[in-house]
Amino acid sequence: MGIFDTILSTGQNAGLFSVYLPFILIFAVIYGLLTKSKIFGEGRSVNAINAIIGFAVAFIVIGSTNVGVTIATFFQNFFTQSTALIVTAIFLMLMLF
């Protein structure tokens, strides 16, 4: 479990869980909602507008609220537990087959 621990701790030290992943998540949700609702219509230029609005909203949310910290805590717990589960499943598969 040494390599996974190293990767997760490096990501945590770089701010991966507290800044980057919450930003991407918020951007994707806002962009998806704007695209699906077709508030500004349809077309290529509208996708650019949706992306700019999603980008700006994600920056505002990450910069001015504690959502980043809450999402970071969730991601830390989720990835730690899922990594342990995957490693255990792979180990069991190797032992059974």
Side-chain angles (χ1 to χ4, degrees), residues 22-35 40 46-62:
F23 175 81
I24 291 170
L25 180 66
I26 293 168
F27 170 75
V29 168
I30 297 297
Y31 177 77
L33 287 173
L34 289 173
T35 303
F40 301 112
V46 174
N47 285 337
I49 292 170
N50 291 342
I52 291 170
I53 292 172
F55 199 72
V57 169
F59 262 128
I60 290 169
V61 169
I62 294 298

Side-chain angles (χ1 to χ4, degrees), residues 63-82:
S64 64
T65 64
N66 288 332
V67 171
V69 175
T70 304
I71 294 174
T73 305
F74 168 74
F75 278 133
Q76 287 172 350
N77 293 334
F78 177 75
F79 284 124
T80 302
Q81 293 171 358
S82 63

